[in-house]
Amino acid sequence: MTDTLELVSENKSFGGWLRRYRHRSEVLDCDMVFGIYLPPQAETQSVPLLWWLSGLTCTDENFMQKAGAHRVAAELGMAIICPDTSPRGTDLPGEHDSYDFGSGAGFYVDATEAPWNQHYHMYSYVVDELPDLVHNAFPLSGQEAISGHSMGGHGALVCALHNPERYQSVSAFAPICHPLNCSWGEKAFGGYLGDDRDTWKAWDACELIRANGAPHSLLVDQGGADNFLEAGQLQPEALEAACGEVGGDLTLRHQPGYDHSYFFIASFIEDHLRFHFRHL
């Protein structure tokens, strides 16, 4: 194991290991913690990897503890990595004042506005720095997929659209599909990226698909009783329209009665893991 990783905790799960590591991030200029589930097959061979990006207020722990993903990941021989959702310990002015901006709300963009541009480069952390670190430290095959929930669903879509050669597939649960056109996105992008809305388009899945196409098979689940759907924060219909315009391969499943919680994620995570495994 590389000296740059400090083991925080480990738990055996379905024959594999859930481990949490702390490391110094140069991109974020702070210490970060991530979680990795290594299936039992990783004891003897390299395994494919699913990146999971979590939503607002989450850390690396929520998905690993609540989603019920380890059983199927162990069966398939798939590793899962969960980064944190924002820099930690930076204590910038106003950083902890609201749930949808600052702490736990990095939105997987590279901030350009002060003071956020000192630390809030979650896109570069997820796409560049952390992958370099983990591929040097763990038995990973180089085959990768990406998924996420809500803000993390937005992040998964944007990461995949900017790096079509990196990920074999992408999926999302209740993603923020069109952040240029919802209050969550407008608050985050205005704060991190400034007032020029044209620059925001590089971080909006619908705009990226219209500009560059949709190169991946995409699976999206959306709960029908999701209060954020009713509030206009998610807008899966905008994603469906964008994919329709370019002939994208989107499977959008509306799940009646399900809300925005991890009960929803746990109910359908097996479908997503098997979807990714077919592409990996």
Side-chain angles (χ1 to χ4, degrees), residues 93-193:
E95 186 176 19
H96 313 307
D97 290 353
S98 60
Y99 80 97
D100 55 357
F101 187 82
S103 298
F107 263 84
Y108 306 101
V109 303
D110 283 346
T112 57
E113 296 295 297
W116 312 102
N117 57 356
Q118 299 175 50
H119 302 284
Y120 276 67
H121 302 130
M122 287 301 296
Y123 173 81
S124 290
Y125 176 70
V126 166
V127 169
D128 296 321
E129 185 181 39
L130 190 55
D132 287 347
L133 181 63
V134 299
H135 280 287
N136 287 324
F138 302 107
L140 303 172
S141 68
Q143 295 290 104
E144 298 179 76
I146 192 165
S147 186
H149 171 230
S150 194
M151 177 186 73
H154 143 76
L157 292 170
V158 168
C159 289
L161 290 165
H162 277 299
N163 302 275
E165 73 291 341
R166 167 74 66 83
Y167 309 102
Q168 275 68 58
S169 55
V170 58
S171 75
F173 289 80
I176 303 172
C177 296
H178 195 19
L180 267 73
N181 195 37
C182 73
S183 60
W184 276 346
E186 289 177 340
K187 180 177 180 178
F189 288 5
Y192 297 138
L193 305 173

